[in-house]
Structure formats: C-alpha cells, structure tokens
Amino acid sequence: MISNTIIFYIASVMIIFFSLCTLFARNIIYSLLCSIMVFLLGAIFFYILGSEYNAIVQAAVYGLAVPVIIGMTIMFTTGNKEKESNTNISYLTIISAGIFVLAFVYIIMMALVINPNTFNVVDSLHINSYENISAFAKGIFVRYVWGFELLSLLLTIVIAGLTMFKNEKRRIESEK
Amino acid sequence: MFVIGLLGTMIAKNIIKVLISIEFMLLGVNINFVTFSTYCDGFNFDGYIMTLFYTGIGAVELVIGLYIFYLMFQKKKSENIERYSEL
C-alpha cells in the first residue's frame, strides 16, 4: 500500500518540472514528450482523487491521441528543417518509441483501475469503481443529457466542418 | 498548472507550444473540478462530468487549432507566432 501523500508530492514536483521543461525545451519534440508526461501525471492526480474514469479518459485522449496528432503536425510542418539538420535520430523514431511507452503506461493504468486497492483512493467517501461509473452514467444520461447531446453535436459539426473545409480548399485549388 | 499554462501562452514563440500551454491551463481547471467534486460535492460528481466534457472540448479545440496552424503554415512557412499577427 502506497501513501497518497507521497504520491501527491512526487507527482506535484514532477508535473511542475515537466511543464516547465515543455515551455523551455528548445526542441519541439522534447517539448511534446514532456507535455505527454504532464498529461499522464494529470491522469494520476485524477486517479488519486478517486475519479478513475476521468483518469482513463485523460490518459487515452491526452496521453495517446492528442500527442499523435501534435506529432503528425510537427512532422508536417518541420519536414524541411529535418533534412537540413544533422541529427541521426529521426522524429519518427522518437514518436514511435514514445507511443509504445505510452501504450505500456496505459496498460498499467488500466490494470490499476481494475484493481483499485493498490492506492489509498479517497476512502472517506467510499468510492469504488461501480459507484463511480454509475454516478457518471446518471450524470451524463440523466442530469446533463442536454450538455452531452450538445457536445456530441459539437464534435459532429467539427468533423463535418473540417471535411467541408478541406473539400472547399481542394475545389478552389482545382479552379485555379 | 493554470499559471504555468498562462505563462507559456504569453512567452512561447512556437504556436504548438502555445496550444499545449492552453491545454495545461485546461488541465489545471480540470484538476480543480475533480478536487472540489471529490471533497465538497458529496456523491453528485458534477465536477467529474464537467471534466469529462471539458476534456472532449479541449481535445477538439486543440485539433482545430493545429489544423488552422497547418493551413496557415503552408503560406507563412514559419512556426513563430509573431508572423501570424495578420491573418
């Protein structure tokens, strides 16, 4: 059994350190890797506070999906600079290794959620995984159902808008 | 986290760093939501639900920002935010 206080202080120091590293790193790839650590430490905070579901969502969205998109953007926008530089390690190798490490961390966190007795997870409120998920279901599908539907609508509009934007750009380029 | 994100938004020159800093601010807000929901809200879990919504909205906002940056990068050919003062 690990004390929550120790985890909290270690995670706090690490999250501040890595967030400052993100801001002041010269290489944008190092900045991205540090930001991944910050997001995963944020997921650990959520887990310590008793919100396993939010921790998993945070680790999946910000720890895995978003860094991949940011990494692809970096690759698309720094392709010419990479050819000019003399570094032997390509960005693609670093990002691939990072994705494997993150997948490993994600599996560990999933194992912790399945067996939540590893940490002292807010015992005073008697929260367990079933009550947490049940409360989420009631919140999303009963009390905040309109907010949930609006969020779904927003995501649909974003996908449709980006698709239309791309098609419009292609049409303009073909007219030229 | 919020202050570090705010600092990064103000001082960073790289657009991707600015977007990541905005996500840091959002993470700070989400941690506050979860903390207050755990210790002050009882069993309603309103903060958890809001955190879930803001996580989704934040990811969408980041993706849109990156896409706009990618489109503008094709014209400006620079990551420096000062070159994007005119659209």
Side-chain angles (χ1 to χ4, degrees), chain A:
Chain A
M1 191 75 80
I2 306 169
S3 172
N4 259 2
T5 314
I6 296 171
I7 298 171
F8 174 76
Y9 282 120
I10 293 173
S12 302
V13 170
M14 285 177 71
I15 201 168
I16 291 171
F17 173 74
F18 281 113
S19 52
L20 289 175
C21 280
T22 305
L23 296 187
F24 297 111
R26 289 187 180 274
N27 193 332
I28 188 68
I29 290 294
Y30 296 149
S31 187
L32 173 63
L33 293 176
C34 291
S35 72
I36 292 170
M37 284 301 298
V38 171
F39 293 138
L40 288 178
L41 286 166
I44 289 174
F45 271 117
F46 290 157
Y47 187 80
I48 290 172
L49 289 166
S51 175
E52 297 100 349
Y53 192 75
N54 272 328
I56 286 299
V57 169
Q58 173 82 12
V61 174
Y62 282 106
L64 288 172
V66 165
V68 170
I69 295 170
I70 297 176
M72 287 178 69
T73 310
I74 292 170
M75 282 192 288
F76 284 142
T77 54
T78 56
N80 295 328
K81 287 178 186 174
E82 190 187 0
K83 287 173 188 169
E84 291 168 4
S85 65
N86 293 323
T87 179
N88 292 324
I89 304 171
S90 67
Y91 288 157
L92 192 62
T93 312
I94 295 174
I95 288 176
S96 305
I99 289 169
F100 278 111
V101 171
L102 287 173
F104 184 67
V105 172
Y106 184 68
I107 289 169
I108 291 173
M109 290 194 68
M110 281 295 288
L112 287 175
V113 168
I114 291 168
N115 184 16
N117 293 325
T118 314
F119 296 113
N120 295 318
V121 181
V122 194
D123 292 330
S124 59
L125 289 178
H126 302 290
I127 296 170
N128 60 37
S129 299
Y130 175 73
E131 287 178 2
N132 207 343
I133 300 296
S134 173
F136 259 106
K138 282 179 187 167
I140 291 173
F141 297 116
V142 179
R143 281 182 291 131
Y144 293 103
V145 64
W146 287 110
F148 180 67
E149 293 297 332
L150 279 175
L151 182 64
S152 310
L153 186 67
L154 176 71
L155 297 177
T156 312
I157 289 171
V158 166
I159 294 170
L162 288 179
T163 311
M164 285 177 63
F165 197 34
K166 188 167 177 56
N167 288 338
E168 184 72 13
K169 187 166 172 279
R170 194 179 294 166
R171 189 181 64 80
I172 292 170
E173 284 175 355
S174 63
E175 282 179 0
K176 286 179 182 176

Side-chain angles (χ1 to χ4, degrees), chain A residues 25 62 77-78 125 143 155, chain B residues 17 23 38 44 46 60 73 79:
Chain A
Y62 282 106
T77 54
T78 56
L125 289 178
R143 281 182 291 131
L155 297 177
Chain B
K17 277 189 187 177
E23 296 305 314
T38 301
N44 283 330
D46 289 339
V60 168
F73 180 84
E79 297 163 350

